[in-house]
Amino acid sequence: MENINAVITGVGGYVPDYILTNDEISKMVDTTDEWIMGRIGIKERRILKDEGLGTSYIARKAVKQLIKRTHTNPDDIDLVIVATTTPDYRFPSTASILCERLELKRAFAFDIQAVCSGFLYALETGANFIRSGNYKKVVVVGAEKMSSIINYTDRATCPIFGDGGAAVMLEPTTEDLGIMDAVLRTDGKGLPFLHIKAGGSVCTPSYYSLDNQMHYIYQEGRTVFKYAVSNMADACESIIARNHLSKDNIDWVIPHQANQRIITAVTQRLEVPAEKVMVNIERYGNTSAGTLPLCLWDFEDKFKKGDNLILTAFGAGFAWGAIYIKWGYDGKNR
């Protein structure tokens, strides 16, 4: 029996219309465009402003485009995995809401929460459902409404994050293409440095937690930066060694879009030239689980069938990893 692998057969994405600029942020907190560009590399980010809309709206827009682009019958979709840290509700899952809104009659669906590494974790999970031989069409989404957990009086975090998301279709292939290898890690060291203090079962919502702004992201940037660079680079180096790749036959490195200086440090350590590194942080900011699929969506027409891609991310937990993909189609033809 031939080996079955999972290949990406299409991408769909969505970013909200509203653009939050650095100039606008500099009116909220003591910062400047020069400081934000120099320290983080972000010029603008998209914000979902409409009342009553959450992450499922972003995911729905992305998956709707994906279904259209891949000419997929919604009744043929077997599974939907949504990577998000900003679900519409504590429960039910955002994935279940997505199924109802898109009238996916046959799919089962669940959310994955690994913060900025969520899409990597979800992609490898979806690929294994395909490899089992029991599933033919799996939709993997990374989507976030990060603005819902940002304190816009906190200078340390409010310039960093934006809203948006994208989705990929995974299907079986017997060609030498698809999700080839994954190195995924979690160590639990990150709790003190990157978290939301209240709203979970340890610290439930109260007047105290609201008054003390404990429902927003807290980040110790320097510590996170150090761990992000070393762990993302280590994961990529493991993938490169295990698959006998070299900087010459890697076509694209797609890093999590958290900070331009992290991206530069990781790719310099890998000795990959800047022109092979996909970066759109300047326009979208950090959309957490959304950054990697948004890069695939943004740069799809640059990919050629058989291209070697390395995706890497690092997030709260700490959770990190890298995935090696052999791209499945010529993006320009889409």
Side-chain angles (χ1 to χ4, degrees), residues 114-115 186-192 194-195 314-320:
V115 203
T186 312
D187 68 5
K189 287 179 186 167
L191 176 60
L194 185 51
H195 59 256
F314 178 89
F318 293 125
W320 71 94

Side-chain angles (χ1 to χ4, degrees), residues 114-329:
V115 203
C116 297
S117 292
F119 183 76
L120 283 185
Y121 284 33
L123 192 62
E124 175 66 2
T125 302
N128 281 319
F129 276 98
I130 294 282
R131 291 176 191 131
S132 75
N134 297 324
Y135 302 87
K136 299 290 185 281
K137 287 184 190 290
V138 172
V139 172
V140 179
V141 187
E144 304 281 11
K145 187 182 173 182
M146 294 304 286
S147 61
S148 66
I149 53 172
I150 299 302
N151 178 357
Y152 284 96
T153 64
D154 177 13
R155 191 174 84 130
T157 56
C158 77
I160 300 171
F161 296 95
D163 303 341
V168 299
M169 184 74 72
L170 291 177
E171 297 188 68
T173 183
T174 53
E175 287 186 84
D176 186 29
L177 296 167
I179 316 302
M180 307 303 286
D181 195 12
V183 169
L184 302 173
R185 299 285 183 267
T186 312
D187 68 5
K189 287 179 186 167
L191 176 60
F193 312 112
L194 185 51
H195 59 256
I196 294 176
K197 204 177 277 309
S201 58
V202 166
C203 181
T204 56
S206 65
Y207 289 118
Y208 179 84
S209 69
L210 290 167
D211 290 344
N212 288 276
Q213 300 183 319
M214 292 163 64
H215 295 265
Y216 298 120
I217 289 176
Y218 168 82
Q219 175 170 270
E220 287 184 25
R222 279 193 183 147
T223 305
V224 173
F225 184 101
K226 185 181 74 178
Y227 277 103
V229 171
S230 60
N231 285 323
M232 285 166 72
D234 286 350
C236 289
E237 284 169 345
S238 293
I239 284 279
I240 288 164
R242 276 172 23 171
N243 295 279
H244 312 294
L245 297 166
S246 72
K247 61 179 188 238
D248 298 322
N249 60 18
I250 296 167
D251 295 290
W252 302 104
V253 174
I254 303 170
H256 170 50
Q257 311 287 302
N259 182 308
Q260 180 61 59
R261 292 185 306 147
I262 292 174
I263 293 168
T264 302
V266 169
T267 50
Q268 280 178 348
R269 194 172 130 181
L270 298 175
E271 298 181 346
V272 173
E275 59 270 19
K276 287 185 170 186
V277 183
M278 299 204 151
V279 181
N280 61 9
I281 188 172
E282 190 172 325
R283 288 181 293 124
Y284 300 140
N286 181 351
T287 55
S288 191
T291 71
L292 294 177
L294 274 173
C295 276
L296 296 178
W297 175 65
D298 227 10
F299 299 109
E300 183 188 22
D301 64 351
K302 291 184 182 293
F303 300 141
K304 295 190 293 296
K305 187 174 182 178
D307 274 0
N308 291 318
L309 279 57
I310 293 179
L311 278 61
T312 184
F314 178 89
F318 293 125
W320 71 94
I323 287 184
Y324 166 37
I325 297 174
K326 256 192 179 325
W327 194 252
Y329 60 93

